[in-house]
Amino acid sequence: MTGTIKAGLVGLGKIARDQHLPAIRKTDGIELVAVASRNAQGEGLHNYGALKDMLAGELDLDAVILCQPPQVRYEAARQALLAGKHVFLEKPPGATVSEVEALIDIAERQGVTLYASWHSRYAAAVGAAKSWLATRALKHVSIQWREDVRHWHPGQPWIWEAGGFGVFDPGINALSILTEIVSEPIALLSASLEVPANKQAPIGAELKMVAASGAPIEAVFDWRQTGPQTWDIAIETDGGSLLLSEGGNMLRLDGEVQVKAPDEEYPAMYRRFVRLIEDKAIDVDIAPLRLVADAFLCGEHRATAAFED
Ligand code: NAP
């Protein structure tokens, strides 16, 4: 397309304000003109209470950015695609694998862009980690993703409800990096999910996976870590060891720091979204979501003490 892409954003909450608004302002080729949110208003923008009203009121809108919780993502994405809009999905792209596959089909038939964003894949050191791994054989992968849910997700009841993913909300970020940097298919073998007695979604999880080459992959996700937070992926190969830490923003090879840079994930994702629209392309990788779905499918559930957030 020619000219600046006019976008409308749905769900003006934490991630929209922290990341999307500043990233869109920094990106050439796209401009935010409207917001649809039930309880919030965007400054200097056309505001609506619902997506359907935004679609009816903004006839020249090109794209819709969906920043609500995953449980309501599908219906909104479907509406926007059927209205002929390009769609940017926050992660996770949906609450189920089947709804994301249905969205791909709708986007293909409509001839519009559908972008499933995985922000952690754009962390500063992920590209370098991927290149380094490409010429080495995997021996072992260990993921530790431990954070304090009370710090990162205050006042977010949806995250504890069915379809809210619980600790897999951050954990899927680790899986998005894993499936980006490891070029082999990854199979989930077993999982153990700790679910607080008063919640629907897990507070802790352990996953056992295996790469097609046979290399074991283990992951621990925990939401009860206070103090320093841990977002690490450690990989042993036939040609040395790699440690990605700080959520993918720091890379050590054989103990030596190679990359350490601040996170610029969202501006990179918006540059990608603009290019996808120019190319009339779809970019939806469901690999991280499929591993989470498999963990819920075969995971052993262990009840734990009630958790007050
Ligand atoms: P949030 O602030 O709790 O929710 C975003 C907005 O969605 C809310 O302000 C609300 O706006 C709307 N919303 C909430 N519950 C809804 C419901 N049941 N039905 C319809 N709309 C609802 O959440 P967030 O932290 O921004 O996360 C949103 C998405 O971004 C999630 O998928 C999350 O995984 C992803 N994400 C979050 C972060 C982060 O650091 N927080 C980082 C990366 C990605 P209105 O009430 O005004 O409609």
Side-chain angles (χ1 to χ4, degrees):
M1 66 174 281
T2 53
T4 299
I5 297 158
K6 290 191 186 324
L9 183 145
V10 185
L12 186 59
K14 184 170 189 319
I15 196 61
R17 288 189 189 282
D18 288 356
Q19 298 285 353
H20 289 261
L21 301 190
I24 296 168
R25 278 197 293 271
K26 276 190 191 175
T27 309
D28 290 336
I30 187 164
E31 172 195 10
L32 189 64
V33 297
V35 157
S37 215
R38 301 162 310 171
N39 301 295
Q41 303 247 311
E43 207 177 305
L45 301 168
H46 302 159
N47 287 284
Y48 299 87
L51 170 60
K52 72 171 176 14
D53 299 327
M54 183 169 79
L55 292 172
E58 300 290 323
L59 295 178
D60 57 353
L61 209 61
D62 303 300
V64 172
I65 300 151
L66 297 178
C67 298
Q68 338 86 305
Q71 291 100 328
V72 295
R73 195 79 51 71
Y74 172 72
E75 195 39 50
R78 185 174 165 277
Q79 248 182 68
L81 293 170
L82 290 175
K85 310 303 176 191
H86 306 293
V87 170
F88 182 126
L89 302 168
E90 244 304 347
K91 54 89 359 186
T96 69
V97 174
S98 52
E99 62 185 30
V100 180
E101 287 177 334
L103 291 177
I104 297 172
D105 182 70
I106 298 170
E108 280 169 356
R109 281 189 283 117
Q110 291 290 102
V112 294
T113 289
L114 179 65
Y115 176 41
S117 67
W118 294 110
H119 66 88
S120 293
R121 287 184 171 178
Y122 295 82
V126 169
K130 181 175 179 167
S131 305
W132 185 85
L133 270 180
T135 55
R136 289 166 173 84
L138 215 56
K139 284 166 76 177
H140 182 250
V141 180
S142 169
I143 299 173
Q144 299 278 329
W145 226 249
R146 298 172 186 273
E147 61 176 51
D148 180 353
V149 63
R150 291 191 177 104
H151 177 81
W152 298 105
H153 298 285
Q156 296 193 329
W158 59 267
I159 214 161
W160 292 105
E161 291 162 7
F165 287 64
V167 77
F168 285 93
D169 177 84
I172 202 168
N173 297 336
L175 298 175
S176 75
I177 297 177
L178 175 75
T179 49
E180 172 69 14
I181 64 177
V182 171
S183 58
E184 314 169 34
I186 294 170
L188 188 115
L189 301 177
S190 66
S192 151
L193 313 180
E194 287 181 272
V195 183
N198 57 341
K199 307 285 189 197
Q200 292 291 317
I203 193 167
E206 290 189 19
L207 276 53
K208 301 252 179 272
M209 296 167 277
V210 67
S213 59
I217 302 173
E218 288 137 24
V220 178
F221 304 151
D222 202 317
W223 249 350
R224 292 159 293 197
Q225 177 147 311
T226 53
Q229 308 283 282
T230 310
W231 298 289
D232 287 354
I233 301 179
I235 303 186
E236 296 297 328
T237 73
D238 64 346
S241 68
L242 171 157
L243 176 63
L244 257 181
S245 50
E246 299 180 8
N249 286 305
M250 183 166 180
L251 172 67
R252 288 188 186 84
L253 297 176
D254 297 323
E256 295 290 321
V257 176
Q258 309 289 320
V259 180
K260 181 171 166 50
D263 133 27
E264 273 289 304
E265 297 166 7
Y266 279 77
M269 290 204 296
Y270 273 98
R271 290 194 293 276
R272 172 97 182 123
F273 187 48
V274 168
R275 271 199 314 277
L276 288 170
I277 292 173
E278 283 166 2
D279 296 346
K280 297 187 169 45
I282 290 175
D283 177 359
V284 181
D285 180 10
I286 60 170
L289 182 64
R290 195 167 46 212
L291 289 171
V292 171
D294 279 356
F296 276 94
L297 198 57
C298 76
E300 167 193 314
H301 284 232
R302 284 199 269 126
T304 58
F307 184 84
E308 302 306 333
D309 50 326

